[in-house]
């Protein structure tokens, strides 16, 4: 990214606007579409999906349960019904396949808020003043589970921003809106990508599912990289890119194997050299690169 240009400028020029925003737009369709399905019932009386992201029943036969919520219920002394166990098993299997933190990028409505805050932060060139270790989210995750155990309640769910989005849209102005506004301001002006990237226990929980997930982002054409840094600029977890993109000399394969990769696809969007693509964990051979530096066109 050259001075004065936004991340992805070269990709728009070389690939066109749609190709440079495809995965971003698909994610927004996914996030808003899922949220819309949940709101059809309360808003219009069309009950395709009943419940919320915590626990739902689709078309009166498909149960889906947030396994993080189920774990809190168990620790609080609750006895989940069989349908909750089935719903949680379906969700766990799904994210073991597509990547645990795909939940963050493709489902979680809070991601829209934090992405907007990150965009504003980049545009204003605002320097964040607060830095948190990325391991902080795991400590917060442990704390939420400990709270459930000690209090016998779902204490975290009272302030969970994911649940707050749903409450804010269904019940209107209230404390939920204030929480979401505070989250936006925090990410925009205090700590860039602070919530999703460093603090959110929901993301921390789903990253644990992502350790063994099948679907991965691959820097399959990393030899083409021209070090523009656009992918690092837009990635919500930029630390996950380098081992795959720059690890050829040390024998590292091109797959991004970190469980904190959200499989959002923005690196694919903004790369003018088409370095990245969606792949599977079974395709991580260093001999699988289809373009080496000696083959790069001038």
């Amino acid at each position: 990214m050259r001075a004065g240009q936004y991340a992805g400028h070269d990709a728009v020029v070389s690939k066109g606007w749609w190709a440079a925003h495809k995965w971003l737009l698909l994610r927004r369709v996914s996030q808003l579409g899922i949220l819309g399905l949940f709101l059809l019932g309360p808003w219009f009386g069309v009950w395709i999906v009943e419940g919320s992201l915590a626990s739902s029943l689709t078309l009166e036969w498909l149960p889906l349960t947030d396994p993080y919520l189920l774990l809190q219920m168990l620790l609080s002394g609750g006895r989940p019904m069989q349908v909750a166990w089935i719903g949680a098993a379906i969700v766990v299997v799904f994210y073991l396949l597509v990547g645990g933190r795909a939940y963050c990028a493709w489902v979680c409505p809070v991601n829209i808020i934090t992405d907007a805050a990150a965009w504003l932060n980049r545009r204003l060139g605002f320097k964040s003043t607060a830095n948190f270790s990325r391991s902080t989210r795991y400590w917060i995750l442990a704390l939420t589970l400990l709270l459930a155990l000690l209090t016998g309640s779902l204490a975290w769910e009272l302030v969970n921003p994911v649940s707050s989005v749903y409450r804010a849209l269904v019940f209107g102005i209230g404390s939920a809106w204030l929480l979401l506004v505070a989250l936006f301001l925090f990410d925009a002006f205090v700590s860039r990508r602070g919530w999703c990237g460093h603090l959110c226990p929901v993301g921390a929980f789903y990253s644990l599912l992502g350790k063994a997930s099948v679907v991965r982002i691959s820097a399959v054409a990393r030899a083409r990289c021209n070090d523009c840094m656009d992918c690092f600029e837009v990635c919500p977890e930029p630390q996950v890119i380098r081992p795959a993109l720059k690890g050829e000399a040390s024998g590292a394969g091109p797959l991004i194997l970190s469980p904190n990769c959200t499989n959002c696809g923005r690196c694919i969007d903004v790369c003018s050299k088409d370095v990245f693509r969606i792949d599977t964990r079974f395709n991580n051979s260093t001999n699988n690169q289809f373009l080496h530096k000696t083959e790069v066109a001038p």
Side-chain angles (χ1 to χ4, degrees):
M1 182 175 63
R2 292 188 291 272
Q5 287 186 353
Y6 59 87
H9 173 272
D10 290 346
V12 172
V13 172
S14 64
K15 302 192 299 188
W17 191 89
W18 162 249
H21 295 83
K22 180 176 69 176
W23 292 104
L24 174 62
L25 294 176
L26 290 174
R27 284 198 302 116
R28 293 293 181 256
V29 169
S30 173
Q31 292 164 331
L32 295 174
I34 292 171
L35 186 60
L37 286 174
F38 281 110
L39 294 175
L40 277 177
W43 282 6
F44 305 107
V46 181
W47 297 98
I48 297 174
V49 180
E50 298 179 57
S52 67
L53 284 172
S55 180
S56 65
L57 185 66
T58 301
L59 297 174
E60 298 184 350
W61 70 270
L62 177 62
L64 295 174
T65 307
D66 179 2
Y68 177 35
L69 177 74
L70 186 75
L71 181 56
Q72 292 177 74
M73 290 178 64
L74 291 172
L75 291 172
S76 68
R79 296 291 180 267
M81 298 173 63
Q82 183 182 33
V83 68
W85 285 100
I86 295 172
I90 293 171
V91 171
V92 168
V93 170
F94 179 77
Y95 286 110
L96 285 175
L97 292 174
V98 305
R101 292 204 64 198
Y103 171 87
C104 304
W106 292 85
V107 175
C108 181
V110 177
N111 177 261
I112 300 174
I113 298 171
T114 56
D115 271 1
W119 174 85
L120 181 62
N121 183 286
R122 288 198 302 271
R123 285 301 173 122
L124 295 178
F126 196 85
K127 301 298 182 185
S128 300
T129 56
N131 292 308
F132 301 91
S133 166
R134 293 185 185 276
S135 65
T136 305
R137 53 189 160 197
Y138 294 103
W139 288 105
I140 296 176
L141 171 62
L143 179 62
T144 63
L145 298 177
L146 182 62
L147 278 174
L149 180 65
L150 296 179
T151 66
S153 68
L154 304 180
W156 162 247
E157 295 305 316
L158 297 176
V159 295
N160 185 349
V162 181
S163 304
S164 296
V165 171
Y166 183 78
R167 290 200 299 270
L169 292 172
V170 172
F171 300 112
I173 294 175
S175 58
W177 279 112
L178 294 177
L179 175 63
L180 299 175
V181 169
L183 203 61
F184 174 84
L185 296 175
F186 174 75
D187 265 27
F189 301 111
V190 179
S191 179
R192 182 178 174 182
R193 298 288 188 184
W195 179 250
C196 294
H198 299 78
L199 302 179
C200 179
V202 181
F205 176 85
Y206 278 92
S207 75
L208 300 178
L209 296 180
K211 284 182 176 293
S213 65
V214 175
V215 176
R216 300 282 177 173
I217 301 292
S218 175
V220 66
R222 55 190 177 184
R224 291 175 177 170
C225 178
N226 62 354
D227 295 320
C228 71
M229 301 298 287
D230 281 7
C231 55
F232 288 92
E233 181 68 14
V234 300
C235 180
E237 301 278 357
Q239 79 283 359
V240 309
I241 296 177
R242 185 170 297 281
L245 186 62
K246 301 297 181 183
E248 184 176 9
S250 60
L255 286 184
I256 296 176
L257 292 172
S258 169
N260 282 313
C261 176
T262 66
N263 284 351
C264 70
R266 276 301 278 162
C267 56
I268 302 174
D269 280 344
V270 302
C271 182
S272 64
K273 302 299 182 183
D274 288 330
V275 167
F276 301 94
R277 74 180 185 189
I278 301 288
D279 213 321
T280 72
R281 67 178 305 113
F282 310 114
N283 198 20
N284 195 28
S285 170
T286 54
N287 297 320
N288 192 38
Q289 299 159 40
F290 59 81
L291 191 59
H292 291 274
K293 289 182 178 178
T294 54
E295 300 171 300
V296 176

